[in-house]
Amino acid sequence: QKEVEQDPGPLSVPEGAIVSLNCTYSNSAFQYFMWYRQYSRKGPELLMYTYSSGNKEDGRFTAQVDKSSKYISLFIRDSQPSDSATYLCAMSAVGRSGGSNYKLTFGKGTLLTVNP
Amino acid sequence: EAGVAQSPRYKIIEKRQSVAFWCNPISGHATLYWYQQILGQGPKLLIQFQNNGVVDDSQLPKDRFSAERLKGVDSTLKIQPAKLEDSAVYLCASSPRLAGETQYFGPGTRLLVL
């Protein structure tokens, strides 16, 4: 079983739709959960990260973590064509300093297309 | 604030040749990472530097890959000799010290080995 599983899609939605992207994981040591957006031929861009369980909201983006189910989600409200990209989840354990231990384990990414 | 810079952006070589990639991290970021991203996969960490010291190179194929970060700023990643399976995007990232949850990636170098 892979440490991080992510449905590669592709996922195609109409503009304005609510998008739900998900990852599951098996390593209970993971405490930091990140979502990256990667446009074609670009490097990943950090959207947001959460620590432990709970929700975090940033504009149209909401990240949720359910540690009991080992399941994380990213919701995009009022999706726009500019949101069309690959979305990568990433996770890490806690380092000695209390922050992420830097060693990110990524999912394969989900390719999202938002149609005008 | 300038982002992570990488060069070249694209490289095509034949197998058994050598190649080198360069990275300049965000100013003031003590931690630098090299990742390998194969098509259709998420990035995989190859090596992590803290200033000019190696913190983790457990996933670096040391028989053919090498990396250095002289003076704790720029870094180079070298492959010698290259194999077909090394075709991938090589991403450099940096983060402030002790904040691995906020890694900033460069645009990557796309390598094709023929």
Side-chain angles (χ1 to χ4, degrees):
Chain A
Q1 182 187 14
K2 279 188 167 291
E3 277 194 300
V4 178
E5 301 271 9
Q6 184 176 11
D7 186 340
L11 182 61
S12 182
V13 301
E15 183 175 354
I18 297 174
V19 176
S20 173
L21 303 165
N22 312 293
C23 290
T24 60
Y25 63 97
S26 58
N27 188 343
S28 56
F30 289 149
Q31 296 277 2
Y32 279 91
F33 304 92
M34 298 82 167
W35 285 97
Y36 283 84
R37 177 175 62 195
Q38 187 172 26
Y39 291 114
S40 180
R41 299 186 180 275
K42 302 287 187 183
E45 171 194 8
L46 179 66
L47 287 174
M48 56 202 310
Y49 74 89
T50 54
Y51 171 70
S52 194
S53 286
N55 296 358
K56 188 172 185 178
E57 188 173 320
D58 184 1
R60 296 184 295 111
F61 298 88
T62 300
Q64 286 186 353
V65 175
D66 182 350
K67 290 186 67 183
S68 62
S69 302
K70 294 189 173 66
Y71 187 88
I72 70 169
S73 302
L74 178 71
F75 297 95
I76 307 175
R77 292 185 301 279
D78 187 26
S79 56
Q80 302 295 309
S82 58
D83 295 328
S84 298
T86 295
Y87 289 80
L88 295 153
C89 64
M91 310 176 188
S92 76
V94 176
R96 283 178 288 182
S97 64
S100 164
N101 75 349
Y102 72 82
K103 194 163 186 175
L104 302 185
T105 300
F106 282 84
K108 288 187 175 183
T110 300
L111 178 61
L112 170 68
T113 300
V114 180
N115 301 299
Chain B
E1 180 185 68
V4 176
Q6 290 188 247
S7 67
R9 292 297 311 277
Y10 304 92
K11 192 74 177 178
I12 301 175
I13 62 172
E14 296 192 348
K15 60 183 179 184
R16 291 188 290 274
Q17 286 188 323
S18 62
V19 65
F21 313 126
W22 173 82
C23 172
N24 183 241
I26 292 173
S27 177
H29 280 192
T31 311
L32 184 147
Y33 316 79
W34 283 101
Y35 287 85
Q36 179 192 58
Q37 186 175 23
I38 292 172
L39 187 65
Q41 304 286 324
K44 182 184 85 170
L45 179 68
L46 293 176
I47 188 168
Q48 182 210 359
F49 292 93
Q50 184 77 21
N51 296 310
N52 61 348
V54 175
V55 175
D56 185 349
D57 62 357
S58 58
Q59 298 191 95
L60 186 74
K62 299 180 188 61
D63 57 334
R64 297 183 301 105
F65 286 65
S66 64
E68 61 182 8
R69 190 183 184 196
L70 299 176
K71 301 180 182 178
V73 182
D74 294 7
S75 177
T76 57
L77 176 70
K78 297 179 181 178
I79 308 175
Q80 182 179 10
K83 292 186 175 181
L84 297 177
E85 59 261 35
D86 298 332
S87 294
V89 177
Y90 291 85
L91 294 161
C92 179
S94 69
S95 67
R97 188 170 178 270
L98 304 179
E101 64 272 13
T102 51
Q103 296 186 23
Y104 298 89
F105 284 80
T109 296
R110 190 173 298 267
L111 174 67
L112 178 61
V113 182
L114 301 175

